[in-house]
């Protein structure tokens, strides 16, 4: 079996070799300078696109070597997970002699495409990315251009790159079991209304744990909080969003045994509505959050929640990308899911 070829950035020389012309001619054609016939110019541009060549805006500064830059493309920084993620990636990158180019997509597929294109044209050596998971997929341009790529938190189906994430499915299964062990049967999962794999995996873990205990899963067991991620400039989550969901549920006459929430901010809103309606935590209802944000242990009562392995995810992803950049690892398509930790506190009678 032949050895796996390590991807590399396509160069002007690659284009020149493909069309059997000089680098000078290829460069002039790609920059739309005079002196190149239209048919030749079209052939050069077509071949450059076919092999994945991306013009490097910093090419002149690369004459003496690489700028040693890692691109990090995130959906947002309001999410504490991604904030901690990029902080740890930067620390690891600096230790290895790299700087970061940080770009944000704001959950917008078009901004994601621009971010990927900007990273490529800026001459980054490699990219760590969190996909929007929209209809478009700009990430294939990265692998096509021969730039090492590692994805985090969300996958892109069919893209053969390494992937690292917290194990959202197991984390939600773990929290559901904890509630079932404490006698809860009418459990409502409160999640953000966003079509991403992290939410889908948590719903799957919830469903699996219920079915393991012979409890059927139906639409009454989930409540969706409208997503704010497409509204630029707004905070990612607000307790008031989950507050309104709680009001609607309680006004229907239903008081469940327990809530599982998609982030600890949602728990803030549920705490407020339950307190207003005289529903006691944990005597009347149990609650488990997600994220273990700094305020969670100071809530009244302190919130049981899930601590995500964000530092380990960042370390694994950065180590993998650095190994690809150093040619000490071959490109792969492995997926690694790191275990979260259940933090039990007074909101579940602990």
């Amino acid at each position: 079996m032949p050895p796996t070829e390590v991807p590399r950035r396509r160069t002007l020389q690659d284009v020149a070799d493909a069309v059997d012309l000089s680098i000078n001619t290829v460069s002039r054609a790609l920059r739309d300078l005079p002196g190149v016939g239209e048919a030749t110019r079209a052939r050069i541009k077509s071949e450059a696109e076919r092999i994945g060549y991306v013009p490097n805006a910093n090419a002149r500064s690369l004459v003496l070597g690489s700028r040693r830059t890692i691109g990090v493309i995130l959906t947002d920084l309001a999410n504490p997970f991604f904030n901690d993620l990029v902080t740890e990636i930067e620390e690891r990158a600096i230790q290895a002699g790299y700087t970061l180019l940080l770009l944000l997509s704001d959950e917008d597929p078009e901004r994601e495409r621009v971010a990927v294109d900007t990273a490529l044209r800026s001459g980054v050596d490699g990219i760590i990315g969190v996909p929007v998971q929209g209809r478009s997929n700009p990430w294939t341009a990265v692998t096509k251009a021969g730039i090492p790529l590692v994805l985090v938190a969300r996958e892109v189906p069919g893209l053969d790159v390494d992937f690292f994430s917290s194990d959202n499915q197991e984390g939600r299964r773990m929290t559901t079991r904890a509630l079932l062990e404490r006698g809860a049967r009418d459990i409502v999962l409160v999640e953000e209304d966003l079509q991403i794999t992290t939410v889908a995996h948590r719903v799957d873990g919830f469903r699996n744990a219920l079915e393991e205990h012979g409890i059927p899963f139906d639409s009454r067991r989930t409540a969706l909080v409208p997503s704010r991620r497409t509204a630029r400039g707004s905070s990612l989550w607000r307790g008031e969003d989950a507050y309104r969901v709680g009001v609607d549920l309680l006004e229907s006459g239903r008081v469940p045994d327990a809530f599982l929430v998609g982030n600890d901010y949602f728990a803030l809103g549920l705490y407020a509505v339950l307190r207003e309606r005289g529903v006691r935590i944990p005597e009347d209802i149990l609650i488990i959050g997600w994220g273990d944000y700094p305020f969670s242990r100071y809530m009244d009562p302190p919130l049981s929640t899930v601590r995500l392995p964000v530092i380990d995810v960042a370390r694994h992803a950065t180590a993998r990308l650095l190994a690809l950049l150093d040619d000490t690892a071959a490109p792969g398509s492995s997926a690694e899911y790191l275990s979260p930790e259940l933090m039990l506190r007074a909101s579940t009678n602990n």
Side-chain angles (χ1 to χ4, degrees):
M1 183 176 179
T4 303
E5 182 181 353
V6 177
R8 61 176 179 80
R9 176 182 288 277
R10 306 299 181 251
T11 65
L12 277 176
Q13 186 64 60
D14 293 327
V15 182
D17 292 342
V19 296
D20 196 24
L21 293 169
S22 70
I23 288 182
N24 182 58
T25 299
V26 168
S27 176
R28 294 184 69 83
L30 293 177
R31 289 184 293 158
D32 288 321
L33 297 177
V36 183
E38 288 306 313
T40 300
R41 188 188 309 277
R43 182 164 68 92
I44 290 171
K45 288 186 175 182
S46 175
E47 194 62 23
E49 181 178 359
R50 185 190 69 79
I51 69 173
Y53 171 74
V54 178
N56 186 345
N58 298 298
R60 291 181 180 178
S61 68
L62 294 175
V63 172
L64 298 178
S66 168
R67 296 174 67 245
R68 295 182 68 83
T69 303
I70 292 174
V72 177
I73 302 176
L74 304 179
T75 54
D76 58 73
L77 282 178
N79 186 332
F81 182 92
F82 294 145
N83 204 310
D84 291 344
L85 182 82
V86 72
T87 299
E88 184 64 24
I89 290 173
E90 182 177 39
E91 180 64 27
R92 298 278 159 173
I94 289 173
Q95 291 176 8
Y98 286 86
T99 58
L100 290 195
L101 172 65
L102 177 62
L103 298 161
L104 303 177
S105 66
D106 283 337
E107 297 289 354
D108 183 333
E110 176 57 24
R111 286 176 64 90
E112 178 184 53
R113 184 195 64 75
V114 171
V116 170
D117 185 64
T118 299
L120 293 177
R121 291 178 180 275
S122 297
V124 297
D125 296 280
I127 295 176
I128 296 175
V130 177
V132 170
Q133 293 188 316
R135 294 181 179 179
S136 62
N137 175 18
W139 301 96
T140 54
V142 180
T143 55
K144 188 176 181 181
I147 307 302
L149 171 65
V150 174
L151 294 182
V152 170
R154 307 178 190 174
E155 302 168 78
V156 174
L159 191 64
D160 291 334
V161 297
D162 292 296
F163 171 74
F164 297 92
S165 175
S166 56
D167 194 335
N168 291 285
Q169 187 172 112
E170 179 54 33
R172 186 50 79 209
R173 188 159 42 224
M174 179 169 55
T175 56
T176 308
R177 287 171 179 160
L179 293 177
L180 292 169
E181 290 168 358
R182 286 158 177 77
R185 289 299 179 268
D186 185 10
I187 304 171
V188 175
L189 175 65
V190 180
E191 278 288 357
E192 184 178 10
D193 189 8
L194 192 66
Q195 302 300 310
I196 56 175
T197 52
T198 47
V199 172
H201 289 169
R202 291 200 293 264
V203 173
D204 286 344
F206 178 53
R207 178 190 296 109
N208 293 342
L210 290 177
E211 292 175 349
E212 287 171 3
H213 287 75
I215 300 174
F217 175 86
D218 56 52
S219 59
R220 293 181 71 250
R221 295 197 177 276
T222 59
L224 296 179
V225 177
S227 177
R228 290 180 175 270
R229 301 199 193 201
T230 56
R232 190 173 307 159
S234 70
S235 59
L236 181 59
W237 299 305
R238 292 181 186 172
E240 66 194 60
D241 298 324
Y243 175 89
R244 286 192 288 268
V245 169
V247 168
D248 291 342
L249 186 67
L250 295 180
E251 286 186 347
S252 73
R254 180 184 176 194
V255 180
D257 296 333
F259 279 120
L260 289 171
V261 299
N263 64 75
D264 292 350
Y265 286 101
F266 289 170
L268 286 172
L270 292 175
Y271 267 48
V273 69
L274 292 171
R275 186 177 297 112
E276 289 175 2
R277 304 301 171 102
V279 181
R280 300 170 301 167
I281 309 168
E283 291 85 357
D284 303 321
I285 191 168
L286 307 177
I287 299 183
I288 298 182
W290 189 272
D292 194 25
Y293 302 149
F295 61 80
S296 303
R297 69 185 65 190
Y298 302 110
M299 293 171 65
D300 183 20
L303 178 67
S304 293
T305 186
V306 175
R307 179 176 296 170
L308 301 175
V310 57
I311 302 303
D312 288 339
V313 169
R315 289 175 179 173
H316 281 65
T318 310
R320 180 60 177 170
L321 184 65
L322 292 173
L324 292 172
L325 293 174
D326 293 340
D327 291 336
T328 57
S333 56
S334 63
E336 187 169 346
Y337 299 89
L338 304 175
S339 298
E341 181 181 2
L342 178 56
M343 312 300 294
L344 291 174
R345 299 182 181 123
S347 69
T348 50
N349 248 331
N350 293 94

